[in-house]
Amino acid sequence: MTRTIDTLGKAARHGMILRAECGCGNLRYYRCSDLASVLGGGRDPRSVKFRCEACRPKVKVTVLELDRDRMPKITVWKPDTAGGNLKWRPEQLK
Ligand SMILES: [Zn+2]
């Protein structure tokens, strides 16, 4: 199944997850809805820049569609803007 997801807004409406994957094996997951609220729904997910804290090469970005009946056990990084500062906190995906 291929569907063109060219904005974070579309990905958010489909409840998708963004996977940022570094060549060293470092992985982080984000809810597209969280990224859309922080970066704007018109942003192309592939244009979002992630850096690996370990080695800082280019990070590969993939947008994932989830089966709600078989949710993967992953940690998503959620934006927290309390206090006016944006911080990303890990949270178990439910
Ligand atoms: Zn890395």
Side-chain angles (χ1 to χ4, degrees):
M1 177 172 58
T2 52
R3 190 189 280 163
T4 309
I5 299 293
D6 50 5
T7 66
L8 286 172
K10 279 188 204 171
R13 278 196 297 280
H14 291 292
M16 293 171 99
I17 292 288
L18 183 146
R19 180 175 68 199
E21 181 178 16
C22 177
C24 73
N26 227 339
L27 268 184
R28 279 201 185 191
Y29 295 95
Y30 301 86
R31 285 189 190 84
C32 290
S33 56
D34 286 338
L35 293 174
S37 70
V38 171
L39 302 169
R43 185 80 176 263
D44 185 328
R46 284 162 292 268
S47 80
V48 183
K49 295 282 179 285
F50 296 92
R51 270 175 314 180
C52 175
E53 287 159 11
C55 53
R56 298 184 179 263
K58 196 171 185 303
V59 172
K60 183 184 170 199
V61 169
T62 315
V63 187
L64 308 171
E65 192 158 21
L66 298 179
D67 181 346
R68 283 179 197 288
D69 297 326
R70 285 183 301 167
M71 294 293 267
K73 288 196 169 41
I74 57 175
T75 298
V76 290
W77 289 77
K78 188 178 171 57
D80 175 5
T81 53
N85 297 317
L86 176 62
K87 294 195 185 82
W88 294 90
R89 300 189 189 285
E91 177 186 285
Q92 192 67 37
L93 182 69
K94 290 192 238 11

